[in-house]
Amino acid sequence: MAVMANSIGITVLGCGVVGGGVVNILTEQRELLRSRTGLTFDVLHIVDKNPDVAKRFPSIAFTTDASAAIADPKVQIVVELIGGTGVAGKFVEQALTAGKHVVTANKSLLATRGSEFFSLARKHDASIGFEASCGGGIPIINAILHGLSANRNDAIVGILNGTCNFILSQMTRHGWSYAQALAEAQKAGFAEADPTLDVSGRDTAQKLAILGGLAFNARIAESDIHLEGIDTLQDTDIKLAGELGYVGERVKDKLSLRVHPTLVHHDDVLADVSGSFNAVSLYGHAVGHTLYYGRGAGSMPAASAVVADIVNVGLGVIPLAFKQLQVFPDTAAKAAVLPFEELQSRYYLRLTAKDVPGVLADVTAALGKNGISLSAVLQRESNESKTVPVVITTHLAREGSVRKALAEIDALPTVTPKTVCLRIIDQPKEFSNGG
Amino acid sequence: MAVMANSIGITVLGCGVVGGGVVNILTEQRELLRSRTGLTFDVLHIVDKNPDVAKRFPSIAFTTDASAAIADPKVQIVVELIGGTGVAGKFVEQALTAGKHVVTANKSLLATRGSEFFSLARKHDASIGFEASCGGGIPIINAILHGLSANRNDAIVGILNGTCNFILSQMTRHGWSYAQALAEAQKAGFAEADPTLDVSGRDTAQKLAILGGLAFNARIAESDIHLEGIDTLQDTDIKLAGELGYVGERVKDKLSLRVHPTLVHHDDVLADVSGSFNAVSLYGHAVGHTLYYGRGAGSMPAASAVVADIVNVGLGVIPLAFKQLQVFPDTAAKAAVLPFEELQSRYYLRLTAKDVPGVLADVTAALGKNGISLSAVLQRESNESKTVPVVITTHLAREGSVRKALAEIDALPTVTPKTVCLRIIDQPKEFSNGG
């Protein structure tokens, strides 16, 4: 499959929200794509289990027989948009074994069988494009593979789940509870009926496994990543600018990999990422801080990324990169992961004090004993006379030490457990920002 | 030159701030680049008119003879970092004629001779990488060519001059005058002794010509771009969030191309771009709004972009794209430019009223007569009793009509000319941002 003709035959597997967008772009922008690339992109088969799909694209051959549509010798690219790890995996395997290039948005499939599929693609001189698996329409994989290749990437920090970001934006903006915001998100179509995969952070962890793997040239398993969701967050804490971020960070020769709600400084561009927008910050040793921002979900943004991959396969760019770059999970070495207790971070602690006069002395003693120094203390006024919230932020501290101190604090008779603990991200400052 | 060996020979022409950074990355990250790409990148010759440069890189052959260093048959890539349109042009021509790939950061050279050089490269089966010519370390050209290829690009809006952005940030933050902020920028090394190219907007226009050309698949000349600098801005207006932006916009079948100070809504991510950071927003018909942010200048950010181009030439990605994509100035059609008077924009007007009671009636009459409707009027209190500043913002209006109305307003006996006129950019809102 190394040499491409000027006419590229395509089979689209799964023609729902994103698949429909892909077919729309390829048909409506056919002339633009041809004038820009010298190539014509022809959808030869649409495959879906729902025969009603055929009515939406009457001029394109429709079938429910995926295997036949994959096997057609005129098809060079198979676009997998079925989702999940069931039949999608079977068809991707079929396509790669037949030497067809695969373009997919399926992060679950890549998280579970990525290494196997990359290896299979290599064996059959095919390639895999997966830009749409992370960050919707943001061309972040392209940026890591081709835009930032001069850099040793030191950190990747991002907001990569539109559902979480929508919920947190609504909580921040309207002072809603998590439950209220989730209900609103479900009503607006920004959250699934069962939102677990999103709000638990698993979806984000799968994306971090993919992007972190490319950025750090390591094979990252979902289980390498520390996970905390947003479902236990309270609006009190959200008002202080929480986001569900993920962080991958190089700490000496190990990687710190984590998905959790994060306090971001209001000067940080990430603090302005709201609604269904996503953003990824990368820190390279040469380029410093760069950031990529765009819509993380939706039919057309995701279709934009899928079609970009189709075009890059057609141009030969993805096959070249796939063959040459040693950054994919089947060739990269397993990530050396920093144990989570060894993480160094700043922390936000909100505790509920029953007996205010004595509590600060006890709490600061517990922190001090564990080597944690404070950067700020805010004791908030309360209408209820019995308990008072106290917010403490720390300087850089070790996660394990903070957990130990928290256990001691929550055991104090003057404190109502459980103390809320969030991590704070401080991003490097540019000279002129501080000036 | 289509097939690259695993060892890539490089000549670096001009080893100043950026060139030194390039040599540093290629030598210090040699092993990282090899493990990532399977290629070794060897700087075989450093060429500079200053022989002292030789001492900085004692292990690399130094010469003042550029022609010999270009002609070396072991050299496949010539990196031009001399700058300007003099000898740099001569050496680029030599390199391309010899079939060597060229990587350059030289936007002036591309603005003046781009079309000629692209054509020459094509003739000799070479290619040109120019990521570092726009936006420093931001991989924006890579994003347009490979990340967003599915989109009909409808608009490109950006902040692409670190000097201007630094000056405006200082004016905004400290309430300084333009002259004070310029002096500070010169002291801090963010502005040249003669800052004309930057503060007039010409530097930004050259970048818009390059990026707009790629995004809109058109050949854009510097003279196609309407230009207004920042040197006449007053801090009164800057406090309302001015930035030197550029805009390229598709208006039906024509392009509106302009560089001028712009009022940006504080919700817009662009409003947070300060100091020497740059940012580019692109609006694609499928992906919607995406934004790219990073350091627009400096040794290492620019070197990051240059080395990314070197790697992409080595991988064969740039030669492939260069051959296949019909978006470069030598093959794209000349831009059809919208006459500037036909621009539709919102406007900010600040006029100085001598006789307040009568003036608003006269001013609104002049605007109304020319079909311009107001969105807001702010009459500010003044300590001086004789004149009062009045700020007016308009709904969408035609540039030509605004100019006609301004001439009438400035001729009023109640108004002290010259009324300040800035354009406002409203960016599309995401549903959930407005929710």
Side-chain angles (χ1 to χ4, degrees):
Chain A
M1 298 298 309
V3 177
M4 283 277 169
N6 283 342
S7 169
I8 312 288
I10 297 162
T11 282
V12 175
L13 303 177
C15 199
V17 174
V18 178
V22 169
V23 177
N24 273 330
I25 294 176
L26 289 175
T27 48
E28 289 170 12
Q29 304 301 328
R30 184 182 159 85
E31 190 44 39
L32 174 76
L33 293 174
R34 198 204 54 72
S35 71
R36 200 178 263 171
T37 65
L39 304 171
T40 55
F41 296 93
D42 298 306
V43 180
L44 301 180
H45 307 280
I46 292 175
V47 183
D48 203 288
K49 62 181 178 186
N50 175 8
D52 288 348
V53 164
K55 296 175 200 152
R56 286 170 55 206
F57 302 102
S59 64
I60 300 174
F62 174 87
T63 175
T64 55
D65 182 354
S67 299
I70 291 168
D72 179 350
K74 291 193 292 300
V75 167
Q76 292 141 301
I77 301 176
V78 174
V79 179
E80 185 278 303
L81 297 167
I82 299 168
T85 54
V87 292
K90 183 182 129 192
F91 297 145
V92 165
E93 194 175 334
Q94 269 182 25
L96 293 173
T97 304
K100 316 279 176 165
H101 301 277
V102 167
V103 172
T104 180
N106 193 331
K107 62 195 154 302
S108 305
L109 196 60
L110 293 172
T112 49
R113 299 179 64 186
S115 186
E116 171 197 343
F117 287 141
F118 285 110
S119 170
L120 188 63
R122 224 173 279 286
K123 190 171 152 194
H124 295 280
D125 205 11
S127 66
I128 303 176
F130 50 105
E131 181 66 81
S133 65
C134 301
I138 307 172
I140 180 66
I141 289 176
N142 179 57
I144 295 174
L145 293 185
H146 295 297
L148 302 170
S149 54
N151 289 270
R152 180 194 68 230
N153 295 305
D154 290 326
I156 175 166
V157 179
I159 297 175
L160 270 193
N161 184 284
T163 305
C164 289
N165 203 37
F166 181 88
I167 291 173
L168 295 179
S169 297
Q170 300 299 318
M171 287 173 77
T172 311
R173 195 157 307 182
H174 305 299
W176 288 348
S177 71
Y178 170 76
Q180 278 176 299
L182 172 61
E184 184 65 24
Q186 285 168 325
K187 217 172 100 188
F190 281 107
E192 308 279 344
D194 177 1
T196 314
L197 193 65
D198 289 314
V199 302
S200 69
R202 256 200 84 183
D203 171 86
T204 309
Q206 292 177 343
K207 291 166 181 165
L208 173 56
I210 294 170
L211 294 182
L214 298 178
F216 300 127
N217 308 347
R219 179 159 40 90
I220 298 175
E222 228 188 298
S223 55
D224 290 335
I225 300 168
H226 174 83
L227 208 64
E228 293 174 25
I230 63 163
D231 42 335
T232 59
L233 278 183
Q234 291 170 39
D235 62 334
T236 317
D237 305 308
I238 282 295
K239 276 175 201 141
L240 289 134
E243 304 278 0
L244 181 73
Y246 71 83
V247 180
E249 203 176 359
R250 193 186 291 282
V251 180
K252 291 177 187 154
D253 56 345
K254 293 209 167 59
L255 296 180
S256 160
L257 302 164
R258 47 206 170 97
V259 173
H260 52 63
T262 305
L263 294 173
V264 177
H265 194 279
H266 61 77
D267 271 356
D268 191 320
V269 182
L270 286 180
D272 293 311
V273 178
S274 58
S276 66
F277 276 91
N278 282 190
V280 179
S281 278
L282 276 153
Y283 293 84
H285 89 285
V287 75
H289 182 194
T290 59
L291 175 138
Y292 308 83
Y293 168 94
R295 290 178 199 198
S299 165
M300 294 305 278
S304 167
V306 170
V307 174
D309 272 352
I310 292 172
V311 169
N312 285 330
V313 170
L315 290 174
V317 168
I318 286 181
L320 253 186
F322 190 77
K323 197 166 292 181
Q324 194 88 31
L325 294 177
Q326 307 291 307
V327 301
F328 300 103
D330 63 322
T331 55
K334 181 159 173 30
V337 179
L338 187 81
F340 195 63
E341 312 78 60
E342 299 302 325
L343 170 70
Q344 294 278 334
S345 174
R346 289 185 58 223
Y347 292 83
Y348 158 99
L349 311 174
R350 182 172 56 77
L351 52 97
T352 310
K354 276 185 279 194
D355 169 19
V356 179
V359 73
L360 266 181
D362 292 342
V363 167
T364 51
L367 292 169
K369 204 177 76 183
N370 287 286
I372 300 155
S373 66
L374 312 188
S375 69
V377 177
L378 173 66
Q379 185 186 307
R380 314 185 127 201
E381 288 190 23
S382 167
N383 292 327
E384 305 157 67
S385 56
K386 290 193 181 161
T387 63
V388 174
V390 179
V391 172
I392 293 173
T393 57
T394 76
H395 288 297
L396 273 186
R398 191 180 153 275
E399 175 79 22
S401 306
V402 170
R403 294 191 172 200
K404 198 149 165 281
L406 279 180
E408 292 171 30
I409 289 168
D410 279 343
L412 288 173
T414 47
V415 168
T416 309
K418 186 180 171 202
T419 294
V420 172
C421 172
L422 297 173
R423 292 165 203 89
I424 301 171
I425 295 186
D426 291 308
Q427 301 205 0
K429 291 274 170 203
E430 175 84 335
F431 157 75
S432 52
N433 271 341
Chain B
M1 298 297 311
V3 178
M4 283 277 168
N6 283 342
S7 168
I8 312 288
I10 296 162
T11 282
V12 175
L13 304 176
C15 200
V17 174
V18 178
V22 169
V23 176
N24 272 330
I25 294 176
L26 289 176
T27 49
E28 289 169 12
Q29 305 299 328
R30 184 183 160 86
E31 190 44 38
L32 175 76
L33 293 174
R34 197 203 54 73
S35 72
R36 199 178 264 170
T37 65
L39 304 170
T40 54
F41 296 92
D42 298 304
V43 180
L44 301 179
H45 306 280
I46 292 175
V47 183
D48 204 288
K49 62 182 177 186
N50 175 7
D52 288 347
V53 164
K55 295 175 203 156
R56 287 171 55 207
F57 303 102
S59 64
I60 300 173
F62 175 86
T63 175
T64 54
D65 182 355
S67 300
I70 292 168
D72 179 349
K74 290 192 294 300
V75 167
Q76 292 141 300
I77 301 176
V78 173
V79 178
E80 184 280 301
L81 296 167
I82 300 167
T85 54
V87 290
K90 185 182 130 194
F91 297 144
V92 166
E93 193 174 334
Q94 269 181 26
L96 294 173
T97 304
K100 316 278 178 166
H101 299 279
V102 167
V103 172
T104 180
N106 194 332
K107 64 195 154 299
S108 304
L109 196 60
L110 292 172
T112 49
R113 300 179 65 186
S115 185
E116 171 197 343
F117 287 141
F118 285 109
S119 170
L120 188 63
R122 223 172 279 286
K123 192 171 151 195
H124 295 280
D125 204 13
S127 66
I128 304 176
F130 50 104
E131 181 65 83
S133 65
C134 299
I138 307 172
I140 181 65
I141 289 175
N142 179 57
I144 296 174
L145 292 185
H146 295 296
L148 303 169
S149 54
N151 290 270
R152 181 194 68 231
N153 295 305
D154 290 327
I156 176 168
V157 180
I159 297 176
L160 270 192
N161 185 283
T163 305
C164 289
N165 203 36
F166 181 89
I167 291 173
L168 295 179
S169 297
Q170 299 300 317
M171 289 172 75
T172 311
R173 196 157 305 185
H174 306 298
W176 287 350
S177 70
Y178 169 76
Q180 278 176 298
L182 171 61
E184 185 64 24
Q186 286 169 324
K187 218 171 100 189
F190 281 106
E192 308 278 344
D194 177 2
T196 314
L197 193 65
D198 289 313
V199 301
S200 69
R202 256 201 84 182
D203 170 87
T204 308
Q206 291 177 344
K207 291 167 181 165
L208 173 56
I210 294 170
L211 294 183
L214 298 178
F216 301 126
N217 308 348
R219 180 158 39 90
I220 298 175
E222 228 187 297
S223 55
D224 290 334
I225 299 168
H226 175 82
L227 208 65
E228 292 174 26
I230 62 163
D231 43 334
T232 58
L233 278 183
Q234 291 171 38
D235 62 332
T236 317
D237 305 308
I238 281 296
K239 276 175 203 142
L240 288 134
E243 303 278 0
L244 181 75
Y246 71 84
V247 180
E249 203 178 358
R250 192 185 292 281
V251 181
K252 291 174 188 158
D253 56 345
K254 292 209 167 62
L255 296 180
S256 160
L257 301 163
R258 47 208 171 94
V259 173
H260 53 63
T262 305
L263 294 173
V264 176
H265 195 279
H266 60 79
D267 271 356
D268 191 320
V269 183
L270 285 180
D272 293 310
V273 178
S274 60
S276 66
F277 276 91
N278 281 189
V280 179
S281 279
L282 276 153
Y283 293 84
H285 89 284
V287 75
H289 182 194
T290 58
L291 175 137
Y292 309 84
Y293 169 93
R295 290 178 199 198
S299 164
M300 294 305 278
S304 167
V306 169
V307 174
D309 273 352
I310 292 172
V311 170
N312 284 330
V313 170
L315 290 174
V317 168
I318 286 180
L320 254 186
F322 190 78
K323 198 167 288 180
Q324 194 87 30
L325 294 176
Q326 308 291 306
V327 301
F328 300 103
D330 63 322
T331 55
K334 184 163 171 23
V337 179
L338 187 81
F340 195 63
E341 311 78 60
E342 299 301 326
L343 170 70
Q344 294 279 333
S345 175
R346 290 184 58 223
Y347 293 83
Y348 158 100
L349 310 175
R350 182 172 55 77
L351 51 96
T352 308
K354 275 185 282 194
D355 169 21
V356 179
V359 72
L360 264 182
D362 292 343
V363 167
T364 51
L367 292 169
K369 205 178 76 183
N370 288 286
I372 300 155
S373 66
L374 311 190
S375 68
V377 177
L378 172 67
Q379 185 184 308
R380 315 185 126 202
E381 289 192 23
S382 169
N383 291 329
E384 304 157 66
S385 56
K386 291 192 179 161
T387 63
V388 174
V390 179
V391 171
I392 293 173
T393 58
T394 77
H395 288 298
L396 274 185
R398 190 179 154 276
E399 175 79 22
S401 306
V402 171
R403 293 192 173 199
K404 199 150 163 281
L406 280 180
E408 291 171 32
I409 288 167
D410 280 341
L412 288 171
T414 49
V415 168
T416 310
K418 185 183 173 202
T419 294
V420 172
C421 172
L422 297 174
R423 291 163 203 91
I424 300 171
I425 294 186
D426 291 309
Q427 302 206 1
K429 291 273 171 205
E430 174 84 334
F431 155 76
S432 53
N433 271 342

